[in-house]
Amino acid sequence: MFVDRLLATLVRLRYATTHDVLACWFGVERSTIARAIAEVRPLLAERGCTVSQGVRLRILAEVIDHLGASGNTGIIGGTEIRVRRPAAGRKDRDQFISGKNKQNAVKAMVVTDGDGRMLFCSPTRPGSCADITHARQFGLVTLLADGPTAEILADAGYQGLGAQVITPLHRKVKKKAGVSARHTPRGGSGAGAASPT
C-alpha cells in the first residue's frame, strides 16, 4: 500500500530508523523497505515544502528568495546519518568516514526558518565532505551573492561562506581576545591601574 510506503519513508527521514527496524515493523523484507524509500523520496522532493497558503518551496534558490522576501532569519546546518561501511574494493570507500564523528556516514545540508521549520534538505554527500564545501557545491554562495538579502545563522563550519551568513567567532580569535584581556599588566593603562602621584 502506498500509505505504508509513505509512512516508512517519513519515519526513515525523521528518525533515521534503519531499514532492518522498518522491515520488522511493517512485516516485510529489508529490500522492500529500501525500494519503497527509493521510490517515495523523489516524490516528496518534487512536492517541496509548503510554508504558507500558495507558497511551496522546492529548491534552494526558492528558499533564499522566500527568506529575503519575508525578512525571516534562516538557520543552516549539516547533519550526519550513520551508514554501513561501503563494500571493500569501492574506490570512494574512505570518503564516507566522517572526521568529526569517526564513523561511516552521509551528510545532508538542512535549512530551516527561525521557528525550526524545515525549508530545504539537500541530497546526501559522503561524510568526509566539509559543511562549507557541501554548501558551495549546492550553489549557496552564488545564491546569496546574486539573490536578495537574507540573514542566515550557522555554526562555525560555515565560516567564510558570505557576509549574509552569521557564524560564531573562530576559536583562534576567541583565544587571542581572552589572552590579551587576561595578560594586561597590573600597573598598565587598564581601568583598574593606579595613577602615579
Side-chain angles (χ1 to χ4, degrees):
M1 253 173 55
F2 179 76
V3 173
D4 290 341
R5 293 160 63 201
L6 176 61
L7 180 59
T9 304
L10 293 174
V11 171
R12 166 67 179 168
L13 294 174
R14 179 64 180 88
Y15 298 105
T17 309
T18 65
H19 290 186
D20 292 326
V21 170
L22 289 171
C24 182
W25 185 19
F26 285 93
V28 296
E29 295 293 323
R30 184 182 188 282
S31 60
T32 304
I33 293 293
R35 186 171 53 254
I37 292 172
E39 292 171 355
V40 173
R41 276 193 74 169
L43 299 176
L44 293 175
E46 286 175 18
R47 291 285 295 162
C49 172
T50 302
V51 293
S52 63
Q53 190 66 31
V55 179
R56 184 176 289 277
L57 308 176
R58 293 177 180 86
I59 59 174
L60 187 56
E62 292 176 352
V63 171
I64 300 302
D65 288 342
H66 169 71
L67 291 174
S70 64
N72 291 336
T73 298
I75 302 171
I76 187 173
T79 181
E80 291 185 353
I81 301 169
R82 190 173 183 178
V83 296
R84 289 182 177 178
R85 185 165 189 185
R90 184 170 169 170
K91 292 180 181 178
D92 60 350
R93 187 179 190 197
D94 292 339
Q95 291 182 9
F96 286 85
I97 299 173
S98 166
K100 182 178 180 181
N101 294 324
K102 307 294 189 239
Q103 64 184 13
N104 291 285
V106 291
K107 180 180 289 186
M109 181 181 73
V110 177
V111 181
T112 70
D113 61 15
D115 296 326
R117 182 171 48 180
M118 188 169 72
L119 305 178
F120 175 79
C121 181
S122 73
T124 58
R125 292 282 190 264
S128 63
C129 182
D131 288 346
I132 193 167
T133 303
H134 200 173
R136 286 176 176 148
Q137 288 174 350
F138 284 102
L140 185 59
V141 175
T142 305
L143 291 173
L144 292 174
D146 299 341
T149 301
E151 181 181 73
I152 297 179
L153 305 179
D155 62 24
Y158 294 93
Q159 286 176 347
L161 194 58
Q164 296 182 53
V165 180
I166 300 168
T167 59
L169 286 176
H170 195 280
R171 279 180 277 173
K172 290 180 181 177
V173 175
K174 282 184 182 177
K175 191 173 180 181
K176 285 180 182 177
V179 167
S180 62
R182 279 198 306 264
H183 294 293
T184 303
R186 289 189 182 188
S189 57
S195 57
T197 52

